[in-house]
Amino acid sequence: MFEFFLPTFGAPCETVSLGFPVKASEIEVFKRSGVYGLDRLHRAIHDINLCRHQQGKLTDKPVTLRRKGRLVSWEEMNKKVNRALDRLSKDWAG
């Protein structure tokens, strides 16, 4: 039902790989829109670089993103939320 993720940042910022100036940085995108905005940025960077590779402008093909992109599950928080939801469902059932 709920799943929390940790932000993942490139070092240097992934926007550097685009070959044209970009005003937004990963940190700025994260500040404004959280991990899901950061995921959208990473997917856009991947798509642009994939097109550049197909056009012969990049020699290396970008690494394929997983189903959840570069998002990393926040295991500790997810376990706490799941335990709380389990307790809540037992309280309401009883």
Side-chain angles (χ1 to χ4, degrees):
M1 180 184 266
F2 297 101
E3 190 168 4
F4 296 90
F5 297 97
L6 297 169
T8 54
F9 302 103
C13 179
E14 294 289 322
T15 58
V16 174
S17 70
L18 294 175
F20 55 84
V22 177
K23 292 182 181 178
S25 69
E26 290 174 308
I27 292 175
E28 287 300 317
V29 169
F30 174 70
K31 285 179 185 177
R32 291 178 178 259
S33 58
V35 291
Y36 293 108
L38 192 58
D39 179 55
R40 296 286 96 200
L41 176 66
H42 290 153
R43 290 181 188 283
I45 291 168
H46 176 268
D47 290 348
I48 291 169
N49 283 335
L50 184 60
C51 288
R52 291 177 65 215
H53 171 72
Q54 291 168 346
Q55 294 171 350
K57 295 178 182 178
L58 285 180
T59 54
D60 295 334
K61 184 177 180 181
V63 176
T64 303
L65 295 175
R66 299 179 307 259
R67 185 174 66 91
K68 298 210 178 205
R70 290 178 47 197
L71 295 177
V72 176
S73 186
W74 188 2
E75 293 293 330
E76 182 182 322
M77 176 63 94
N78 290 329
K79 287 177 185 176
K80 287 181 181 182
V81 169
N82 288 338
R83 281 193 303 268
L85 289 172
D86 287 343
R87 272 186 256 120
L88 184 60
S89 65
K90 288 176 186 175
D91 290 344
W92 282 7

